[in-house]
């Protein structure tokens, strides 16, 4: 079992834990409608994936 050699101060411990940040998702351009979408997912605006229409999108 691991035993600490020197007690870490609260500020050192919290500064190490402060690096858990939210990251901006990577976005790519849809080849069909040129809107931004998440990679490897169906485009929410046109419903296409890999050059084929997979989902019918209701138009307003």
């Amino acid at each position: 079992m691991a035993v600490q050699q020197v007690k870490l101060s609260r500020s050192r411990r919290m500064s190490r834990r402060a690096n858990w940040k939210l990251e901006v998702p990577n976005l790519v351009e849809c080849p069909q409608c040129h809107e931004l979408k998440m990679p490897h997912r169906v485009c929410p605006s046109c419903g296409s994936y890999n050059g084929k229409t997979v989902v019918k999108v209701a138009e307003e």
Side-chain angles (χ1 to χ4, degrees):
M1 191 165 127
V3 178
Q4 66 185 20
Q5 301 300 313
V6 178
K7 182 177 179 177
L8 282 178
S9 67
R10 202 175 285 141
S11 64
R12 280 190 184 263
R13 181 188 69 203
M14 297 307 279
S15 67
R16 184 180 68 244
R17 292 179 183 174
N19 290 319
W20 289 85
K21 299 182 188 88
L22 290 175
E23 295 178 358
V24 178
N26 293 331
L27 297 175
V28 295
E29 184 178 319
C30 175
Q32 300 290 325
C33 64
H34 304 289
E35 293 284 329
L36 292 177
K37 69 177 190 78
M38 298 273 293
H40 306 289
R41 284 167 178 78
V42 176
C43 179
S45 60
C46 68
S48 66
Y49 181 75
N50 202 15
K52 300 172 190 163
T53 302
V54 182
V55 179
K56 290 184 181 179
V57 178
E59 296 187 21
E60 296 178 7

